[in-house]
């Protein structure tokens, strides 16, 4: 009887650990263009000093892998898109989402305010919303399984 309780407890702990890992916003995410449905890049979303950051670690289209930020200004002018930080300093809210003032789109060379959260129906989907004034667009990114 004691052995069964121990096995049951271990099984529950593994299950809870699996759920908590699967429900993290942090990890690698494949971006999907909300206009044409095409895969574009893989973003490493990570935490640093309690804030969310995201960096482009792969460009899906082989023809675009050497792309540079042509429309950018300042330090980002002609910087390689691969390696760019597109999310900086997003802070967790009490609603289990992250909000920030830096969501960068290298194709448009524009920075947006953002809200980022896991899809409540599927923790392998990340909702990424960029705001420009009161207008917004939301993309759904797909978790990269390693």
């Amino acid at each position: 009887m004691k052995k069964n309780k121990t096995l049951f407890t271990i099984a529950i702990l593994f299950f809870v650990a699996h759920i908590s890992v699967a429900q993290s916003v942090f990890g690698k995410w494949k971006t999907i263009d909300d206009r044409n449905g095409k895969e574009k890049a893989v973003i490493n979303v990570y935490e640093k000093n309690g804030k969310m950051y995201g960096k482009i670690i792969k460009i899906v289209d082989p023809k675009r892998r050497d792309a540079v930020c042509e429309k950018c200004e300042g330090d980002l002018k002609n910087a390689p898109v691969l390696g760019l930080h597109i999310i900086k300093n997003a802070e967790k809210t009490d609603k289990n989402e992250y909000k920030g003032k830096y969501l960068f789109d290298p194709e448009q060379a524009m920075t947006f305010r953002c809200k980022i959260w896991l899809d409540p129906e599927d923790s392998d989907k990340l909702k990424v919303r960029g705001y420009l004034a009161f207008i917004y667009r939301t993309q759904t990114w797909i978790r990269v399984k390693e």
Side-chain angles (χ1 to χ4, degrees):
M1 182 73 165
K2 205 174 198 183
K3 190 174 185 179
N4 286 343
K5 281 186 178 180
T6 303
L7 289 174
F8 180 73
T9 303
I10 291 171
I12 294 293
L13 289 174
F14 277 118
F15 178 73
V16 169
H18 174 72
I19 288 175
S20 64
V21 168
Q23 292 184 349
S24 173
V25 297
F26 302 113
K28 294 179 181 150
W29 297 92
K30 189 176 293 183
T31 65
I32 310 294
D33 191 310
D34 58 310
R35 292 183 175 130
N36 61 23
K38 291 184 179 180
E39 299 174 350
K40 294 176 73 176
V42 175
I43 310 300
N44 182 31
V45 177
Y46 63 95
E47 184 176 20
K48 180 179 169 188
N49 298 324
K51 296 189 179 179
M52 175 191 278
Y53 292 81
K55 181 178 180 177
I56 299 172
I57 60 170
K58 179 180 178 184
I59 297 173
V60 175
D61 182 354
K63 296 175 190 166
R64 304 260 319 133
R65 291 204 175 128
D66 294 327
V68 295
C69 197
E70 296 172 4
K71 296 180 183 178
C72 294
E73 296 177 358
D75 292 344
L76 294 180
K77 180 74 176 165
N78 293 320
V81 172
L82 186 63
L84 272 180
H85 276 88
I86 63 167
I87 302 168
K88 290 183 183 177
N89 292 316
E91 296 181 347
K92 188 172 185 176
T93 70
D94 58 353
K95 296 180 183 178
N96 221 18
E97 60 192 20
Y98 285 79
K99 288 186 175 182
K101 296 180 180 176
Y102 192 93
L103 175 64
F104 185 70
D105 180 347
E107 286 185 355
Q108 298 181 58
M110 293 180 68
T111 304
F112 302 90
R113 289 180 301 115
C114 64
K115 181 166 88 170
I116 301 167
W117 70 99
L118 283 178
D119 184 326
E121 296 176 14
D122 186 348
S123 62
D124 287 332
K125 293 181 179 177
L126 188 68
K127 298 293 187 172
V128 180
R129 180 172 290 168
Y131 294 90
L132 188 60
F134 58 88
I135 300 169
Y136 65 86
R137 277 181 43 208
T138 306
Q139 288 186 344
T140 300
W141 295 359
I142 307 300
R143 187 182 304 276
V144 174
K145 308 266 183 167
E146 295 185 87

